[in-house]
Amino acid sequence: SNAPNIASITPNGIITGLSAGDATFTFTGTPTVCSSVISPIIKILPLPDISTTPLNLCVGSTFTYSPTPNGTWDVFPLGIISINNHTFDALSEGSTKIIFTAANTGCKSDSILTTVNALPIVNVVGNDTICVGSTTSLTPNSAGTWTSSTLPIATIDNFGIVTGLAQGNVTFTYVNTISGCAATSPNIHIAPSPVVTTEALEVCEGSQLPLIS
């Protein structure tokens, strides 16, 4: 090879492209070494100019490759993600490889390792209706963080303990620390605490005084 940094060649004549550019190859006959033949110019085409950084997605999420290159995508194996016009849709948990083929050269990119993570499973393990000042529990209760959709109505800690603060409905979202995938709880109803009143604060022996709630 006249340009070993661009392409190499084996004694059997197998060329390997190393970087974009032009190269020629010289063949010398054996055993007489009487003649040398220079090959035509071989053009080494560049790989598609796309990022091959591994992707981590969550089931149900989408990722759009930008800028959108001119070419086609292939995914192996099928069923984990689908690809439509440079948009990847995560379908099910698992790992897959994505390869891009440039339209103008036919060259294929290095594979992009893509991991699709399962969504967390959120459960209400206590009551889904509680009173102001009372608590209930949600799971998961570890390996992630919880947030409340409406802090004035109820709070939640990262152990999944919900505390009712005011009347209303509220949901809670859990994010797994490792995968970054999130799921939201069903509605939790916070009911007002009963208010007990009475018409008087004294009653005679043998008499009755009703309490009103």
Side-chain angles (χ1 to χ4, degrees):
S1 171
N2 75 327
N5 61 320
I6 292 176
S8 64
I9 189 168
T10 69
N12 295 326
I14 305 301
I15 297 170
T16 300
L18 303 176
S19 61
D22 296 337
T24 60
F25 304 89
T26 301
F27 174 79
T28 301
T30 57
T32 63
V33 297
C34 292
S35 62
S36 296
V37 178
I38 298 176
S39 73
I41 294 175
I42 304 297
K43 182 176 289 294
I44 308 302
L45 300 173
L47 294 178
D49 185 20
I50 66 167
S51 170
T52 54
T53 301
L55 298 175
N56 280 285
L57 305 175
C58 301
V59 171
S61 66
T62 62
F63 173 82
T64 299
Y65 195 93
S66 180
T68 54
N70 184 18
T72 58
W73 299 92
D74 293 296
V75 57
F76 309 95
L78 299 174
I80 295 174
I81 68 168
S82 64
I83 302 177
N84 180 28
N85 195 27
H86 307 296
T87 296
F88 307 155
D89 294 309
L91 303 177
S92 61
E93 182 181 8
S95 294
T96 187
K97 292 182 178 180
I98 301 169
I99 296 175
F100 177 77
T101 303
N104 59 338
T105 64
C107 293
K108 296 181 181 295
S109 71
D110 293 332
S111 60
I112 305 170
L113 178 63
T114 302
T115 301
V116 177
N117 299 292
L119 298 180
I121 298 175
V122 170
N123 289 309
V124 182
V125 295
N127 294 322
D128 59 6
T129 297
I130 60 173
C131 296
V132 170
S134 298
T135 62
T136 190
S137 300
L138 305 180
T139 58
N141 54 15
S142 62
T145 58
W146 283 99
T147 56
S148 170
S149 66
T150 315
L151 280 174
I153 293 177
T155 61
I156 188 169
D157 63 21
N158 287 333
F159 298 104
I161 304 300
V162 176
T163 301
L165 301 178
Q167 182 180 5
N169 293 316
V170 60
T171 60
F172 303 93
T173 299
Y174 172 84
V175 179
N176 182 278
T177 301
I178 296 174
S179 70
C181 296
T184 299
S185 72
N187 267 325
I188 302 296
H189 178 65
I190 311 300
S193 296
V195 177
V196 177
T197 62
T198 181
E199 296 177 351
L201 298 178
E202 297 177 341
V203 62
C204 296
E205 290 183 7
S207 298
Q208 295 180 337
L209 178 66
L211 296 178
I212 302 169
S213 63

